[in-house]
Amino acid sequence: MERDLPVVPSLLLLLLLLHFAVDCNGSKVGVCYGRNADDLPTPDKVAQLVQLHSIKYVRIYDSNIQVIKAFANTGVELMVGVPNSDLLPFSQYQSNVDTWLKNSILPYYPATMITYITVGAEVTETRDNVSALVVPAMVNVLAALKKAGLHKRIKVSSTHSLGILSRSFPPSAGAFDSKYAYFLKPMLEFLVENQSPFMVDLYPYYAYRDSPSNVSLDYALFSPSASDVIDPNTGLVYTNMFDAQLDSIFFALMALNFRTLKIMVTESGWPNKGAAKETAATPDDAQTYNTNLIRHVINDAGTPAKPGEEIDVYIFSLFNENRKPGLESERNWGLFYPDQTSVYSLDWTGRGNVDIVTGANITSSNGTWCVASSNASDADLQNALNWACGSGNVDCSAIQPSQPCYQPDTLASHASYAFNGYYQQNGATDVACNFGGTGLKTTKDPIKWAPEILLLRLRHQMQSIPPHG
């Protein structure tokens, strides 16, 4: 099972190994940086705050130059937006878009890693009927990117609310509202042709707030104590509202024969404060929802209709925004106060005490983990690995070739992934880490010793490299 990697410079090899171990899971979690407030810190300070919390993906709602410049050389990937107010000029004349790209994007790229441009935001929710302008504007933005040779690096899409559906329950009955067909079908064709995702904003909070008799708080918050909801058409079992909403979009796309289109959740979150009747708008519930959402996404659990599917999600929002109209909750979705202190703590890795060597995204409830014993023979390890991934019901798809956790490609690493998965799923008992004597229970946090293991791996690889000359 042990294989030598191609000969590459040692530093590069180490960096590659670190990348594979730390960035094991494919799904991404970002944050929305709304600025509808008059008390926010400067963009430079916001960029520092984002880096401090190791946030790698940020969505903004326009192309503010000061914000774009602030994220230069930070390693943060930025999603910029074309506001609804700009859809008319963007759809009318290519020259308008060319000028915008030349002035607002190109001078700061690639120092600022712009990866997406959203053209319009939730256009079906606007009072003015601007939805007909979206696709022409998207076409012009793509044309401008092509002229600059960036159309493969910067993807173009548009964001939508769940209101674009006429039905969302049960999920298998999800269907787009026929009144939007005139712009929706050409948009979906555009997205498929250019390998761009369908972007949607999902809010289980509103489903609960507006219909508490039909949606339980536990179901909206990903609580393990929530009662399951079974789709009568498919038999699929839903344990949370987020998955149900997401699958309603998937089934709506499938009904129009767009089943391969990737879905990206460009907003989801929970308010930390609300009006008297908004009893669930609390810091505790906001922390619970966002923590569980991040774990759900990072774990690549997918949804009942698409298990194991990678889902990129942007948490709304970075700050409370005091100028937003509406109920009290509308101004209090932030993770941070304007003074940059946290409204509540949030683990952005979604791992807790995750084993980043094996990639097993499981929080250790008692500070223990199960890994492969260094004294076990390869034959015994392979037998135990086969059992864990078979009869043990551990999902081992992530350690298959070309999958996110395949590297490091060693029997010990793959076995540790499976062992820890089985161990945590089965109560973290001594028996659950036996594996015929090939499992080893440890209280040493794998996060802390992962670099040590990788260095040992590096030394092993380098020993096999013949001397020059």
Side-chain angles (χ1 to χ4, degrees):
M1 193 73 182
E2 183 83 358
R3 301 172 194 165
D4 291 326
L5 297 178
V7 177
V8 292
S10 58
L11 178 59
L12 176 58
L13 177 59
L14 177 59
L15 291 174
L16 285 170
L17 289 171
L18 285 169
H19 167 77
F20 283 128
V22 176
D23 193 25
C24 177
N25 294 288
S27 298
K28 302 176 178 64
V29 177
V31 66
C32 301
Y33 172 21
R35 307 194 316 281
N36 194 356
D38 57 18
D39 57 357
L40 299 184
T42 62
D44 286 344
K45 290 182 178 179
V46 173
Q48 292 171 8
L49 178 69
V50 165
Q51 292 179 88
L52 179 66
H53 290 270
S54 301
I55 300 169
K56 301 295 184 185
Y57 309 93
V58 172
R59 176 189 176 191
I60 62 174
Y61 293 81
D62 54 19
S63 54
N64 181 280
I65 290 175
Q66 294 307 313
V67 174
I68 291 176
K69 287 169 64 176
F71 283 96
N73 304 311
T74 61
V76 174
E77 294 187 15
L78 203 62
M79 177 186 296
V80 305
V82 176
N84 293 342
S85 56
D86 287 340
L87 289 177
L88 181 59
F90 270 54
S91 64
Q92 283 183 323
Y93 299 107
Q94 182 67 52
S95 59
N96 290 337
V97 183
D98 293 344
T99 299
W100 169 79
L101 193 75
K102 178 181 178 181
N103 294 335
S104 299
I105 303 296
L106 297 183
Y108 314 106
Y109 181 91
T112 298
M113 297 170 59
I114 298 168
T115 52
Y116 292 97
I117 297 174
T118 59
V119 182
E122 297 189 354
V123 291
T124 58
E125 300 293 323
T126 59
R127 295 176 182 174
D128 301 324
N129 185 13
V130 295
S131 53
L133 306 175
V134 175
V135 175
M138 291 171 68
V139 169
N140 287 344
V141 170
L142 179 65
L145 288 171
K146 283 183 175 179
K147 293 177 187 177
L150 296 178
H151 59 291
K152 302 240 182 232
R153 298 187 180 185
I154 301 176
K155 295 297 182 180
V156 180
S157 190
S158 183
T159 67
H160 308 280
S161 73
L162 199 63
I164 200 168
L165 300 182
S166 58
R167 288 189 65 182
S168 61
F169 184 83
S172 60
F176 290 108
D177 196 320
S178 58
K179 66 185 176 186
Y180 302 130
Y182 67 94
F183 89 94
L184 190 58
K185 191 170 187 297
M187 172 184 287
L188 296 175
E189 291 171 346
F190 174 97
L191 297 178
V192 169
E193 182 179 349
N194 295 287
Q195 298 181 327
S196 294
F198 181 87
M199 296 177 168
V200 64
D201 302 338
L202 299 180
Y203 286 102
Y205 169 75
Y206 290 129
Y208 166 73
R209 186 196 70 180
D210 298 342
S211 187
S213 60
N214 295 319
V215 179
S216 73
L217 183 60
D218 284 344
Y219 188 64
L221 291 174
F222 294 88
S223 172
S225 60
S227 298
D228 293 343
V229 175
I230 300 176
D231 188 314
N233 299 326
T234 61
L236 294 173
V237 178
Y238 289 86
T239 60
N240 63 81
M241 175 57 77
F242 178 85
D243 281 352
Q245 291 183 338
L246 192 55
D247 271 357
S248 68
I249 293 288
F250 166 66
F251 279 107
L253 288 169
M254 190 164 64
L256 297 180
N257 294 318
F258 289 96
R259 65 173 62 234
T260 62
L261 194 55
K262 180 178 172 61
I263 303 171
M264 177 184 286
V265 180
T266 39
E267 285 183 14
S268 193
W270 198 278
N272 58 68
K273 183 180 178 182
K277 66 178 182 179
E278 297 180 292
T279 56
T282 67
D284 284 347
D285 284 345
Q287 181 184 42
T288 297
Y289 177 80
N290 285 327
T291 297
N292 289 338
L293 174 62
I294 292 171
R295 285 178 180 168
H296 185 63
V297 169
I298 293 296
N299 195 36
D300 282 342
T303 66
K306 302 197 82 173
E309 181 83 356
E310 294 178 6
I311 304 165
D312 297 343
V313 173
Y314 286 75
I315 304 292
F316 186 89
S317 179
L318 197 57
F319 296 105
N320 290 333
E321 298 175 78
N322 65 2
R323 294 179 59 187
K324 295 191 78 170
L327 293 173
E328 180 71 13
S329 62
E330 290 300 309
R331 292 176 287 282
N332 291 282
W333 290 79
L335 305 173
F336 298 94
Y337 294 110
D339 65 1
Q340 302 178 65
T341 59
S342 297
V343 177
Y344 49 85
S345 61
L346 195 61
D347 174 22
W348 283 94
T349 68
R351 295 183 173 97
N353 292 320
V354 65
D355 180 342
I356 64 169
V357 171
T358 67
N361 181 40
I362 301 167
T363 300
S364 172
S365 59
N366 62 356
T368 61
W369 298 262
C370 183
V371 297
S373 170
S374 59
N375 296 323
S377 68
D378 282 358
D380 288 343
L381 271 185
Q382 188 65 61
N383 287 335
L385 172 61
N386 292 344
W387 182 89
C389 296
S391 301
N393 292 318
V394 175
D395 182 1
C396 295
S397 58
I399 54 175
Q400 301 307 307
S402 80
Q403 295 305 304
C405 299
Y406 182 63
Q407 297 288 349
D409 177 19
T410 68
L411 180 57
S413 176
H414 292 174
S416 292
Y417 178 98
F419 289 4
N420 197 46
Y422 181 85
Y423 175 70
Q424 304 293 350
Q425 289 172 16
N426 289 275
T429 63
D430 290 345
V431 173
C433 189
N434 192 319
F435 297 101
T438 63
L440 176 67
K441 195 167 79 167
T442 178
T443 57
K444 195 173 183 182
D445 188 343
I447 288 180
K448 296 176 181 176
W449 52 258
E452 175 185 341
I453 296 294
L454 291 174
L455 284 170
L456 289 173
R457 170 74 170 155
L458 172 63
R459 292 190 187 113
H460 171 82
Q461 296 296 338
M462 295 310 294
Q463 286 169 4
S464 68
I465 300 175
H468 292 289

